[in-house]
Amino acid sequence: MVRVTPPDRLEKLLTAAADVFVAHGFHRTQMDDIADRLGVSKGTLYRSVESKEALLAAVLEYADNPEMLPKTGPLATRSLADVSAIMRARLSEAPVQLGLRSAASNPTTHHSIVEVGDEVERFAAELFEMMSRHQTRIMVLESCVAELPMLASDWYAQGRYHLVDLWHQYLQNQRTHITTGSDLAVLSRTIVEVLALWAVKMSWDPSPRPYSVDLKNDCAAMVRSLVTGG
């Protein structure tokens, strides 16, 4: 009898792999764990992917845009060096559309605290959306990079700390309209972590609670309050 591969097998494989990577990190994740989560034998798993490294690369490349997955055949053979290259490419793409990036580099003079508050809220909503679009990549990287030094420096420099630095530069540009007495470096890190918590990490709660249906705008308003007092 000819084996028929379900058309959504690769997408389900990446979902299962992401769950296991988040739960166990990279080194403690075994292919048996992923096969069990997917409900197949390990031999069946190896017909779709050659190694754990290749599977991690595929998660980072396709998990948040499964429509780009290859339609037939196994996933490409990849090494940890390939994983690193994919991560760097995704990180370089992620902030390009952020208005925050332009405002941090090319400061605009605002005449009132209301104008700054409106802009802060808009930038926070944009960052929330960006994080939401990449939530699987972000969560898997957060769970695995501490074990993979070749990924860690790029992830922190180009990922998390890059966003923190953008906020810090922007807030320094607008400091005459900022009402908080907090250190701006601390405030910048807090903004990034608050948005990551709600845009990414809450989706991975094992027993999620119902929250606002408008999380993006609620979080953006929260950030505005941190910066300008509401």
Side-chain angles (χ1 to χ4, degrees), residues 187-199:
L187 178 59
S188 301
R189 178 67 182 267
T190 300
I191 289 170
V192 172
E193 296 300 335
V194 164
L195 293 173
L197 172 68
W198 290 100

Side-chain angles (χ1 to χ4, degrees), residues 170-202:
Y170 171 76
L171 295 176
Q172 286 182 318
N173 293 340
Q174 305 300 335
R175 57 186 173 274
T176 56
H177 294 300
I178 295 174
T179 59
T180 180
S182 300
D183 180 278
L184 294 185
V186 174
L187 178 59
S188 301
R189 178 67 182 267
T190 300
I191 289 170
V192 172
E193 296 300 335
V194 164
L195 293 173
L197 172 68
W198 290 100
V200 177
K201 296 179 182 178
M202 285 300 177

